[in-house]
Amino acid sequence: QVQLQESGPGLVKPSQTLSLTCTVSGGSISSGNYYWSWIRQPAGKGLEWIGRFYTSGSTNYNPSLKSRVTISVDTSNNQFSLKLSSVTAADTAVYYCARQAMVRGVISFDYWGQGTLVTVSS
Amino acid sequence: QSVLTQPPSASGTPGQRVTISCSGGSSNIGRNSVNWYQQLPGTAPKLLIYGSDQRPSGVPDRFSGSKSGTSASLAISGLQSEDEADYYCAAWDDSLKGVVFGGGTQLTVL
């Protein structure tokens, strides 16, 4: 059973860089045809996809966040990370990591982390 | 402003059938399949429907999905109190080259 767990600071100051890590257990992050994504959800609002990387090493980012986002992988620790620079209060949200898998030719988020709240405040 | 449009709320009584719509465009729903996610209060989203009309194992057959043109729908029959949750549609957008979500629909079981 694949499990994902987010970790990182719960409070980040404005203009600084938000850094989160997702630790994957129950399977290798570097094997199989999977995408590893970050998604966020401001309180009381909907889901926003941030970006993903594929096991081949390619990445896709939300165009609205692309200039500030970096997603990287640490295969030795079976983790992937999110860095979001120049944060403002608008980046306050619950951040989820999730896996996308292809089933019958369709890609969907099949496993999610529990989410971690990040607040941007001085 | 979400790329995919959903009604903000829906409601029904136990046993009823409710539908939730998701409207998109030619670059997303018009070309790609739709996935639906259920988010119970205080929890992470859970995959409910993939490929527009396929149910993952473990999802009751009370839940069904469909797609036509640039719109999709989620239907829940035999509504139960535990179905009270937020529901999100999602699809790949070929123009944006990313995943787009609907704004979510809050389902209330009266």
Side-chain angles (χ1 to χ4, degrees):
Chain A
Q1 178 79 347
V2 174
Q3 292 185 316
L4 294 87
Q5 178 68 57
E6 305 89 351
S7 60
L11 181 64
V12 181
K13 288 182 167 50
S15 79
Q16 293 191 341
T17 296
L18 179 160
S19 295
L20 295 174
T21 296
C22 182
T23 301
V24 179
S25 58
S28 171
I29 200 170
S30 56
S31 65
N33 296 320
Y34 300 119
Y35 295 89
W36 302 93
S37 280
W38 288 96
I39 297 151
R40 69 181 183 179
Q41 184 174 35
K45 296 189 178 180
L47 301 167
E48 179 181 34
W49 178 74
I50 299 170
R52 70 183 186 184
F53 84 86
Y54 186 47
T55 48
S56 67
S58 64
T59 54
N60 299 108
Y61 296 128
N62 185 323
S64 68
L65 298 170
K66 188 174 183 177
S67 64
R68 300 194 290 132
V69 173
T70 302
I71 295 176
S72 58
V73 61
D74 177 0
T75 54
S76 62
N77 288 307
N78 223 35
Q79 297 174 330
F80 63 106
S81 298
L82 167 70
K83 290 190 186 299
L84 179 65
S85 64
S86 304
V87 297
T88 69
D91 295 309
T92 294
V94 173
Y95 286 75
Y96 295 100
C97 57
R99 188 185 84 168
Q100 279 181 301
M102 181 176 287
V103 176
R104 297 180 186 175
V106 176
I107 298 174
S108 61
F109 295 108
D110 60 348
Y111 287 99
W112 295 69
Q114 65 184 30
T116 187
L117 174 63
V118 178
T119 302
V120 178
S121 175
S122 54
Chain B
Q1 194 80 352
S2 302
V3 174
L4 305 181
T5 301
Q6 297 180 235
S9 62
S11 63
T13 57
Q16 264 191 335
R17 182 177 187 270
V18 297
T19 61
I20 296 172
S21 63
C22 175
S23 176
S26 58
S27 62
N28 41 68
I29 296 178
R31 293 184 189 178
N32 300 298
S33 60
V34 178
N35 300 321
W36 289 89
Y37 299 90
Q38 177 193 57
Q39 186 175 33
L40 297 170
T43 69
K46 167 194 163 187
L47 180 63
L48 198 63
I49 297 287
Y50 69 96
S52 302
D53 59 8
Q54 302 295 307
R55 279 187 311 276
S57 84
V59 173
D61 60 5
R62 303 186 294 105
F63 295 91
S64 62
S66 64
K67 188 188 99 165
S68 178
T70 58
S71 293
S73 290
L74 171 71
I76 309 171
S77 60
L79 198 61
Q80 299 180 4
S81 59
E82 57 258 40
D83 298 333
E84 195 160 277
D86 294 326
Y87 293 85
Y88 294 90
C89 59
W92 180 261
D93 190 294
D94 287 346
S95 295
L96 297 174
K97 292 184 172 48
V99 176
V100 291
F101 285 97
T105 298
Q106 184 176 51
L107 175 64
T108 301
V109 181
L110 302 169

